[in-house]
Amino acid sequence: MMHNGLAAVSTAEFALRVVVALVFGALIGGERQWRQRMAGLRTNALVCIGASLFVLMTPLVGGGANPLQIAAYIVPGIGFLAGGVIFKERLSVTGLNTAATLWCTAAVGALVGFGFIVQAAIGVAAVLSVHIIMRPIVQRINRQSGEGIEVVSSYELRAVCREEVEEQVRADMIAAIRQTEMTLTAVYSEELEDQARTEIVADVTLSGRADAKLEEVVSLLGVEPGVVAISWKIVPTTDEERSMIPD
């Protein structure tokens, strides 16, 4: 097997490298699939295969094409693909780890395309180590470093009321929140399919936990005329926090 260039790649060598790229991409994607991430086994396998195919295209087309230049084009291409798995939802951003994984998978595929199989295998091991070995280490560091450090928690408060009392309930909700140390970041209303009912949603933040304060707000609004239901929940702000919440 050639490991030092793309001067003459036979059909068998071409097929072998594509298969290796498939296996390596599937190894990385398998871990992502197991954790139910957006870009799973098939996506990472395809990214790895695609990167290797672009590199292997050089000896096929000839004409003095520079393989390093073609490999450089893979980077911005993967950037567009990775950007599609990053989402911002209110105060939280998700998908950064998945996007970074796709970027690494493309690098592994490029190495395989050049024929650096051993180096590509090392890259696969490094990526899997980050996701499998370093994950509990990061969680432990976060727990230990969080002791004695001010942590900002995000919450969502929801109240369902009759349409005719929406303005009053909204005003009472804002007033009740401002009486506490919580910071109101957003408040909006959504019309429900159920006739004549509106859901008011308030996003709040607080240094530390705000469970007791939110219970006070819920108790105050719960006795308001026209309020049908009221609840609150914590809004996860990291991938680790989201993974702990059941679907």
Side-chain angles (χ1 to χ4, degrees):
M1 183 180 295
M2 296 175 58
H3 294 277
N4 55 359
L6 296 168
V9 178
S10 64
T11 301
E13 179 76 6
F14 183 95
L16 178 60
R17 294 188 189 182
V18 172
V19 171
V20 171
L22 187 156
V23 173
F24 284 178
L27 285 174
I28 297 175
E31 186 276 337
R32 297 282 82 192
Q33 190 76 44
W34 181 64
R35 297 192 185 277
Q36 296 296 307
R37 296 301 185 250
M38 185 173 300
L41 191 150
R42 290 192 302 170
T43 302
N44 280 275
L46 288 171
V47 167
C48 200
I49 292 172
S52 66
L53 287 175
F54 275 113
V55 173
L56 287 167
M57 190 186 302
T58 306
L60 297 179
V61 299
N66 186 350
L68 292 178
Q69 189 176 29
I70 293 179
Y73 291 146
I74 297 174
V75 177
I78 294 300
F80 283 108
L81 181 62
V85 299
I86 300 176
F87 293 93
K88 183 179 186 301
E89 183 179 353
R90 293 177 191 157
L91 300 176
S92 62
V93 178
T94 60
L96 293 176
N97 289 338
T98 300
T101 302
L102 289 175
W103 191 46
C104 293
T105 302
V108 169
L111 284 171
V112 173
F114 279 113
F116 299 110
I117 307 300
V118 175
Q119 289 83 349
I122 294 173
V124 172
V127 174
L128 292 178
S129 297
V130 170
H131 287 309
I132 298 174
I133 299 177
M134 294 184 66
R135 183 183 180 89
I137 296 176
V138 170
Q139 293 176 341
R140 178 175 297 181
I141 292 174
N142 288 340
R143 287 196 297 268
Q144 292 180 349
S145 63
E147 297 177 359
I149 297 179
E150 193 175 59
V151 178
V152 177
S153 300
S154 302
Y155 294 87
E156 184 180 83
L157 180 64
R158 292 178 174 267
V160 178
C161 64
R162 297 197 304 267
E163 284 185 353
E164 62 268 21
V165 297
E166 175 191 350
E167 292 185 5
Q168 182 61 45
V169 173
R170 178 197 289 260
D172 291 341
M173 178 185 289
I174 295 173
I177 292 173
R178 287 178 175 173
Q179 288 177 3
T180 68
E181 294 86 356
M182 294 185 293
T183 300
L184 180 64
T185 59
V187 59
Y188 53 94
S189 300
E190 298 177 352
E191 294 184 0
L192 301 179
E193 294 181 359
D194 189 4
Q195 292 183 355
R197 289 190 180 182
T198 302
E199 183 178 53
I200 304 172
V201 183
D203 296 330
V204 298
T205 59
L206 179 73
S207 298
R209 295 298 296 265
D211 302 31
K213 295 179 176 60
L214 281 165
E215 288 295 339
E216 294 178 5
V217 175
V218 167
S219 299
L220 290 173
L221 295 177
V223 297
E224 288 286 335
V227 175
V228 179
I230 185 166
S231 63
W232 65 269
K233 69 176 182 179
I234 188 168
V235 178
T237 56
T238 63
D239 288 340
E240 287 73 16
E241 289 177 350
R242 285 183 175 272
S243 65
M244 297 174 63
I245 296 179
D247 295 334

